[in-house]
Amino acid sequence: MFGGFLGAGILKKAADKGLVDIRVHDLREQAEGKHRQVDDRPFGGGEGMVLMPGPVCKAVEAVRETAETPVVLLSPLGRMFTVDMAQAWAGCRQVILICGRYEGVDERVGLHLATVEVSIGDYVLTGGEPADMVVIDAVARFVPGVVGKAGSVAHDSFAEGLLDCPHYTRPRVFRGHGVPEVLLSGDHARIERWRRRQALAKTLALRPDLLIGDRPLSAEDRVLLDEIRKERKES
Ligand code: JFT
């Protein structure tokens, strides 16, 4: 499942440049016995299979470089994964993600091995892999050089606590719908102001919770926001 994800696009480029080194480890390499068993039926009965703690612990211990390495368990029961976690982990020498499947991993992995348990959102997946990919992707973006200037991380939607402004490309008129005049004006200062205002207006309309977060707004942003609020009251 990780081959296509890691083998294409921005992550592949980042790996080729040596900016990130993302390794996938097969739990079966740590398994014992003829059958190299990594999962078993749940104690107490019930549906499905549970990943055994032994192979998971051995796999982590085989790759962990220091006691400071975050060991992240993805799980529907975890704390919500946030941009702040992504940024923090991007600054770590190493991050280990435990990726389970089936009904999940033995509870003792979360209790005694993982340093943090996170969920990527309130919806149900069939396994841990897509959640791990989300975390890998979000963390990698914060590694310097991974995302080019165009996607400049610091400048970006959530990193700044705001949603992105709208984007348009050719044609100028698509099925009768035009492009905001300001974007065709060539006036870069005006375009920047418009984009900032749009980002603030979109955030206020769609995600007002982001505006009362812990990131203070600049004086200019507060002026723009007041304007937007006034306009909304008038219409
Ligand atoms: C889901 C996950 C979810 C979700 C790890 C492992 C198995 C499937 C599953 C789903 C519901 C109940 C198991 C995982 C996640 C989310 C992470 C696993 N499943 N039990 N992370 N974030 N929102 N769903 Cl292992």
Side-chain angles (χ1 to χ4, degrees):
M1 287 175 79
F2 286 91
F5 170 65
L6 297 174
I10 289 173
L11 291 185
K12 166 81 160 55
K13 270 203 193 132
D16 289 344
K17 284 198 253 172
L19 299 171
V20 297
D21 179 12
I22 303 162
R23 303 179 194 179
V24 181
H25 307 274
D26 185 355
L27 287 180
R28 246 180 234 291
E29 284 169 18
Q30 308 298 329
E32 282 166 17
K34 193 173 73 175
H35 302 291
R36 306 247 131 209
Q37 192 178 351
V38 294
D39 59 332
D40 211 334
R41 297 159 69 187
F43 278 128
E47 287 289 295
M49 299 292 270
V50 178
L51 280 170
M52 298 153 72
V56 176
C57 283
K58 278 207 226 156
V60 169
E61 285 155 5
V63 298
R64 183 165 51 192
E65 288 169 3
T66 73
E68 281 71 54
T69 296
V71 180
V72 182
L73 176 64
L74 274 295
S75 141
L77 285 74
R79 286 171 55 202
M80 198 69 79
F81 177 60
T82 63
V83 70
D84 303 279
M85 294 179 191
Q87 193 157 24
W89 294 339
C92 295
R93 240 203 71 72
Q94 180 188 38
V95 180
I96 296 173
L97 304 180
I98 299 172
C99 183
R101 40 174 33 195
Y102 318 114
E103 290 359 277
V105 302
D106 186 286
E107 184 72 7
R108 291 164 290 186
V109 169
L111 292 172
H112 307 298
L113 178 70
T115 59
V116 58
E117 197 165 330
V118 301
S119 162
I120 60 158
D122 287 339
Y123 34 78
V124 182
L125 307 170
T126 59
E129 293 90 346
D132 283 73
M133 291 183 210
V134 165
V135 171
I136 291 168
D137 198 81
V139 171
R141 293 184 71 265
F142 278 106
V143 173
V146 168
V147 176
K149 210 169 152 206
S152 171
V153 172
H155 190 95
D156 222 23
S157 1
F158 274 101
E160 253 195 322
L162 293 182
L163 300 181
D164 209 355
C165 63
H167 304 283
Y168 292 88
T169 185
R170 294 199 296 173
R172 268 183 187 221
V173 180
F174 177 69
R175 299 191 178 176
H177 305 291
V179 170
E181 178 277 325
V182 55
L183 297 178
L184 312 173
S185 71
D187 182 342
H188 292 292
R190 223 181 116 217
I191 291 169
E192 273 323 296
R193 268 196 310 280
W194 180 86
R195 285 184 169 152
R196 190 70 191 174
R197 202 170 192 287
Q198 287 287 315
L200 288 162
K202 277 215 181 274
T203 309
L204 184 66
L206 303 173
R207 293 294 307 277
D209 55 301
L210 295 178
L211 292 173
I212 48 173
D214 41 14
R215 271 165 264 250
L217 290 172
S218 70
E220 297 97 84
D221 283 350
R222 284 198 303 272
V223 171
L224 283 174
L225 256 187
D226 283 339
E227 277 177 34
I228 295 161
R229 285 201 182 97
K230 244 179 239 151
E231 271 179 25
R232 279 167 45 134
K233 271 186 210 131
E234 281 157 17
S235 62

